[in-house]
Amino acid sequence: MKYLAMPFIVLLIVVPVALADIMVDIPQQYKTVAPGAEVIANIKLVNLGGSGREDVFLDFWMTDSKGSIVLTKRETVAVETQANFVRTFVMPQDTKTGSYTLHAEITYSDGRDATAANDFQVEPRKDVPTDYRPIYVGAAVALLVIFFFAGRLLMPVWKRFQIRFKVKSIVSKRH
Amino acid sequence: MASTLIVTSVESLQDRIDGSVKSFGGIPGIYVSLNKTQKSTESMLKTAGVKTDKLFFIDCVTAEKTRDDVLHIAPDQLDLLSAAVRAFINDIKGKKFLVIDALATLLIYNHENEVARFVKDVTNAASDNDVEVVAFSPTTKGEQLLKKIYNFFDKVK
């Protein structure tokens, strides 16, 4: 059986479509924070194929492990092809411990949008144990010095007192 | 009351001490023993016919405690020695005397200025309390010291 080779024509039509994207990165040192502490996130916006510089809405919201929103924030930023910036979020003092997610959404005027999220943990504040050893050692040395000098000062007084006491005892026995 | 420094030869020192203590009769006295132990001193005094039952000894020769009524003080602890003499002067009621048997012996253990200060302190305490002081020193020792302490005594023999 012979196959007849038939020519195919592939027509590639390129339609220009603007690409929007957003990335949220939480540095490792902010992956675990305490209630009341700051969470810092690096935000990267990409606007490929857009028509020059344009203002976009940037929404942030934070959810807990159950999906409940604990914090929201909205702002407008200007983006040309790419934008990087840092945003700081302060966790409320009464934030419960657990897993949280920082969401970010970018919305262009033409309706394009993109979302991104990143997780972090809220854990109870660990009281950094203060190293009191130098203070203790210093206090001990100071006490030793004080005792040493006090001893040197008081010892003769104590010895004279003992002598007087003994003399009194000797004399009273004879009398 | 007078204070007297008797400078005498080593050979006649004990005789002078015996005679001096005997001269006080039966009144209580403080005896600072610097060149013999209390036991030896008391024995010699008794041999010389001196009553020692009213003598309070401060033994600066030995630290060995033989009797409860004898105070042992090292000869280099002049502050304590002075405090002890003052305490005896204050606590013994009535007339009393003080004998220091070989003042220059203190120079073996102390600087002469410290000894001079001790002598001044003791003679002052005695003078304030009408206590007669007789201090002895062998002529062969501590010429410089003797010059320094002459003035603290009413009489020097």
Side-chain angles (χ1 to χ4, degrees), chain A residues 163 166-168 170-171 174, chain B residues 53 55-56 69 71 91:
Chain A
I163 290 282
K166 187 157 190 197
V167 167
K168 200 174 276 297
I170 290 171
V171 173
R174 289 275 189 96
Chain B
D53 56 324
L55 284 181
F56 294 90
D69 60 348
L71 209 55
D91 290 345

Side-chain angles (χ1 to χ4, degrees), chain B residues 17-23 25 41-53 55 97:
Chain B
I17 293 170
D18 295 343
S20 184
V21 175
K22 198 182 265 185
S23 71
T41 303
E42 191 169 10
S43 169
M44 292 182 110
L45 287 170
K46 279 180 176 171
T47 306
V50 179
K51 286 186 178 179
T52 59
D53 56 324
L55 284 181
F97 64 93

Side-chain angles (χ1 to χ4, degrees), chain B residues 12-76:
Chain B
S12 58
L13 182 64
Q14 191 57 49
D15 289 340
R16 298 290 300 269
I17 293 170
D18 295 343
S20 184
V21 175
K22 198 182 265 185
S23 71
F24 286 109
I27 66 167
I30 306 146
Y31 193 112
V32 180
S33 173
L34 287 164
N35 68 344
K36 291 187 183 69
T37 63
Q38 171 272 328
K39 196 176 174 183
S40 172
T41 303
E42 191 169 10
S43 169
M44 292 182 110
L45 287 170
K46 279 180 176 171
T47 306
V50 179
K51 286 186 178 179
T52 59
D53 56 324
K54 289 191 177 176
L55 284 181
F56 294 90
F57 286 96
I58 301 174
D59 186 342
C60 297
V61 177
T62 176
E64 192 186 349
K65 191 176 171 183
T66 50
R67 275 167 45 181
D68 282 341
D69 60 348
V70 175
L71 209 55
H72 297 268
I73 296 174
D76 60 344

Side-chain angles (χ1 to χ4, degrees), chain A residues 13-172:
Chain A
I13 300 167
V14 178
V15 179
V17 176
L19 181 66
D21 200 5
I22 182 169
M23 281 162 268
V24 175
D25 177 52
I26 297 175
Q28 196 58 40
Q29 64 264 41
Y30 295 99
K31 279 286 190 182
T32 303
V33 295
E38 289 180 341
V39 176
I40 289 180
N42 297 317
I43 313 296
K44 185 175 184 180
L45 302 180
V46 178
N47 180 27
L48 294 175
S51 53
R53 185 183 179 88
E54 57 183 307
D55 289 334
V56 295
F57 287 115
L58 190 55
D59 291 287
F60 296 102
W61 68 102
M62 223 176 255
T63 55
D64 62 16
S65 57
K66 292 173 188 169
S68 304
I69 294 173
V70 295
L71 186 149
T72 59
K73 194 174 184 180
R74 172 167 245 211
E75 59 185 284
T76 307
V77 292
V79 183
E80 200 155 343
T81 56
Q82 189 168 301
N84 289 287
F85 45 88
V86 174
R87 286 293 177 267
T88 301
F89 305 92
V90 178
M91 301 303 293
Q93 284 287 356
D94 58 352
T95 305
K96 290 176 181 163
T97 57
S99 184
Y100 286 80
T101 305
L102 172 65
H103 304 266
E105 183 180 45
I106 184 169
T107 309
Y108 290 86
S109 54
D110 60 5
R112 284 176 295 129
D113 65 359
T115 60
N118 207 323
D119 296 335
F120 64 97
Q121 296 287 322
V122 173
E123 288 186 359
R125 186 181 299 277
K126 287 177 192 163
D127 289 331
V128 180
T130 310
D131 189 359
Y132 289 110
R133 278 177 300 181
I135 298 169
Y136 292 148
V137 170
V141 169
L143 278 175
L144 279 175
V145 170
I146 289 168
F147 281 136
F148 176 75
F149 285 107
R152 283 182 69 106
L153 286 173
L154 293 176
M155 191 55 81
V157 176
W158 171 242
K159 281 188 174 176
R160 280 199 292 272
F161 173 78
Q162 283 182 308
I163 290 282
R164 278 199 286 269
F165 185 77
K166 187 157 190 197
V167 167
K168 200 174 276 297
S169 160
I170 290 171
V171 173
S172 66

